[in-house]
Amino acid sequence: MTTATNQSHQKLRTVDMAYIGLFSTLMMIGANITSFVPFMTVGGVPITLQTLFAILAGLILGSRKGALACTVYMCIGLAGAPVFARFGGGFSQLLSPTFGFIITFILAAYMAGLMVERSGTRKSYILAAFLATALNYLIGTNWLFIAYKLWASAPEGFSYRLAWLWMIPPLPKDIILAIFAGFLAYRLQKTLKILPIQ
């Protein structure tokens, strides 16, 4: 009986696939904000809205479906569609110094979703958004540094300190958006009831 229930719980409904597609699309739009506002690039790091949409995917859809939405986005980009920042796409993007952020979107969505699945309070939504943002910065920036040191052509004078300095301009935006994501997801969750609120 338990096995049958678990198998049923694992199946994606049509509405789940629609939500996953919606958040994959939002990731594509968020990635290319820099294409319309060119000055929103610091060093080698474009300032986008992907972190916001990845976290919202986890908070609203839950860990599994939120991570799946970000994975679908990544796979579409790797398949060649120009959905990454600056309308990038293709398998060669794996070697991009900023590809670590794309991988981290999956982890951030999963972590944020897991946290709110365990506790559905407003405070847990905001905390989950903050921690997911921190995870995105931590892994993405370290990937950036390693990529520039090992296989990418690093700018002159590039250092670990400089990699983190590049992350300062988008930080206030991401802190504000993390708070916004927490409040918005909590309100939407009570309306949509996608996750079982504890």
Side-chain angles (χ1 to χ4, degrees):
M1 183 72 173
T2 306
T3 306
T5 305
N6 288 341
Q7 287 176 347
S8 173
H9 181 68
Q10 294 297 322
K11 289 181 181 176
L12 289 175
R13 302 166 299 165
T14 304
V15 68
D16 293 330
M17 290 187 280
Y19 282 133
I20 289 167
L22 171 65
F23 276 98
S24 297
T25 304
L26 288 172
M27 291 288 289
M28 296 174 203
I29 294 168
N32 285 300
I33 288 292
T34 51
S35 299
F36 304 106
V37 189
F39 64 82
M40 291 184 69
T41 300
V42 179
V45 183
I47 299 175
T48 71
L49 294 178
Q50 289 169 294
T51 307
L52 168 66
F53 292 129
I55 292 169
L56 279 174
L59 294 177
I60 294 172
L61 303 183
S63 57
R64 189 172 68 97
K65 288 177 278 191
L68 185 55
C70 295
T71 303
V72 168
Y73 161 72
M74 181 183 73
C75 291
I76 289 171
L78 290 177
V83 297
F84 296 148
R86 304 186 194 99
F87 291 105
F91 206 69
S92 63
Q93 293 293 314
L94 282 169
L95 298 177
S96 168
T98 57
F99 192 76
F101 291 101
I102 294 172
I103 293 173
T104 310
F105 295 143
I106 300 169
L107 301 175
Y110 185 83
M111 185 179 84
L114 198 61
M115 287 183 68
V116 297
E117 285 167 357
R118 294 179 177 177
S119 173
T121 64
R122 181 185 285 111
K123 183 179 178 181
S124 69
Y125 272 77
I126 296 170
L127 180 61
F130 272 119
L131 292 178
T133 301
L135 179 72
N136 180 250
Y137 271 65
L138 182 64
I139 296 177
T141 307
N142 279 287
W143 177 295
L144 180 84
F145 174 73
I146 292 167
Y148 273 131
K149 285 300 183 181
L150 296 183
W151 65 80
S153 179
E156 189 175 343
F158 180 75
S159 64
Y160 189 66
R161 180 173 178 271
L162 182 60
W164 280 103
L165 286 174
W166 284 351
M167 303 310 298
I168 291 175
L171 183 60
K173 177 263 299 180
D174 285 328
I175 290 173
I176 293 168
L177 289 179
I179 297 169
F180 171 74
F183 277 107
L184 177 64
Y186 180 74
R187 292 292 298 273
L188 286 175
Q189 198 55 256
K190 296 185 80 172
T191 304
L192 300 174
K193 294 182 172 56
I194 299 172
L195 294 177
I197 301 293
Q198 300 295 325

